[in-house]
Amino acid sequence: MDYDETVEPSKFMADFLRQCGGYAIVDGGLATELEQHGANLNDPLWSAKCLLSSPHLIRRVHLDYLEAGANIIISASYQATLQGFEAKGLSREEGEALLRKSVEIACEARDILYDRAAKGSGDVIGDGTILKHHPVLVAASVGSYGAYLADGSEYSGIYGDAVTLETLKDFHRRRIQVLAESGADLIAFETIPNKLEAQAYAELLKEEGIKIPVWFSFDSKDGTNVVSGDSISECALVADSCKQVVAVGINCTPPRFIHGLIQSIQKVTTKPVVIYPNSGETYDADKKEWVVSTGVADEDFVSYVGKWREAGASLIGGCCRTTPNTIRDISKALSSKSAASTALQF
Ligand SMILES: C[S+](C)CC[C@H](N)C(=O)O
Ligand SMILES: N[C@@H](CCS)C(=O)O
Ligand SMILES: [Zn+2]
């Protein structure tokens, strides 16, 4: 499903959700799943390192998520930046080619899935639905400036006074232009840690006349504000005012904070809400390792899913340290929930 510039962005997402049966399943953690398969991401490029070293592994993980039931797969461009590639000695052209490649790999995984369906292998996905009726979108990931810093700054959102709106716009401009023309169905602005960066994205989309639909997804560590301390309502309002934004939400945030954040977002926008929390573990940015959190438990991730849907989220998946099994469980939980509510109507 390639985007059509004549289709209103809001209609694009409404149509897609209808095709999916009312809600869509987003994939799970990409970088952390690449690590599960042996990739060493201790590198300034983090998961984008695999675009150079192991594209086949990226394709395999995308396919695993599709088979687990994902309707939206997110490309490996989260930490793929032209500045990051240049620091590795790559030319501007090579960097741009790698950005496009991240989307091509995801599209290849979707093609493999559809080929299997066309050959009538009778495969089932996630919740048991036959492959043929499984709409899939490819989202091009854009991680924050903090992700590029590769020090976990997307979990603080504190960039210092020297980083202005213009700095952020200049940083992201070319990458967004390239990804908008890459063949992706939408751009996923992910793990947005502060309001300034959301404003930079919104202004860039307008200035550059970007037509492709996008979503804005913020991260939080307290359930009230985004990680920088900016209020989620103010951040969601920035997204609400931007025509190209087809969903607003939260990712890479512990599951225990999600319910309240969905409610806060819905107070300020009627756009669809996307949520894809992490496993609830904590990231040690120095060691580039995940550690089990002390305090409130998040282990029962999937049991929250029905409540998030009831609260109004219509795109649901997982972020760091969630796996294809998480996505399969989410898919099953939501399909049995929706079957139960359909049965009640009769
Ligand atoms: C969402 S965090 C786990 C991403 C990783 C970070 N940008 C890094 O490079 O360490
Ligand atoms: N799409 C990215 C988000 C990291 S927070 C990933 O799953 O690796
Ligand atoms: Zn994450």
Side-chain angles (χ1 to χ4, degrees), residues 155 251-252 319-320:
Y155 289 154
N251 75 293
C252 217
C319 203
C320 294

Side-chain angles (χ1 to χ4, degrees), residues 286-307:
D286 294 329
K287 295 190 185 145
K288 292 198 184 281
E289 273 175 16
W290 293 86
V291 286
V292 177
S293 301
T294 49
V296 190
D298 277 308
E299 70 271 8
D300 203 5
F301 183 113
V302 176
S303 70
Y304 290 87
V305 166
K307 296 264 177 276

Side-chain angles (χ1 to χ4, degrees), residues 32 41 43-46 78-79 146-155 191 252 283-285 288 290 319-320:
T32 52
L41 305 187
D43 187 277
L45 291 178
W46 199 45
Y78 175 82
Q79 207 146 311
Y148 155 74
L149 297 177
D151 60 359
S153 289
E154 66 267 65
Y155 289 154
T191 331
C252 217
Y283 188 62
D284 179 331
K288 292 198 184 281
W290 293 86
C319 203
C320 294

Side-chain angles (χ1 to χ4, degrees), residues 2-3 51 74-82 85 95-107 138-144 171-190 201 205 208 210-214:
D2 272 341
Y3 78 98
L51 291 169
I74 305 174
S75 72
S77 46
Y78 175 82
Q79 207 146 311
T81 62
L82 297 171
F85 289 135
E96 292 183 7
L98 284 170
L99 285 172
R100 286 189 281 271
K101 184 169 168 181
S102 71
V103 172
E104 282 159 17
I105 294 168
C107 291
V138 168
S141 172
V142 171
S144 66
F171 175 78
H172 286 294
R173 190 179 307 271
R174 183 63 191 146
R175 173 159 72 143
I176 291 172
Q177 286 172 338
V178 172
L179 289 174
E181 299 295 327
S182 65
D185 300 297
L186 73 157
I187 295 178
F189 292 100
E190 306 189 272
Y201 292 143
L205 291 170
E208 300 302 321
I210 304 277
K211 297 286 185 298
I212 184 170
V214 309

Side-chain angles (χ1 to χ4, degrees), residues 245-256:
V245 173
V246 295
V248 187
I250 301 290
N251 75 293
C252 217
T253 294
R256 64 184 177 279

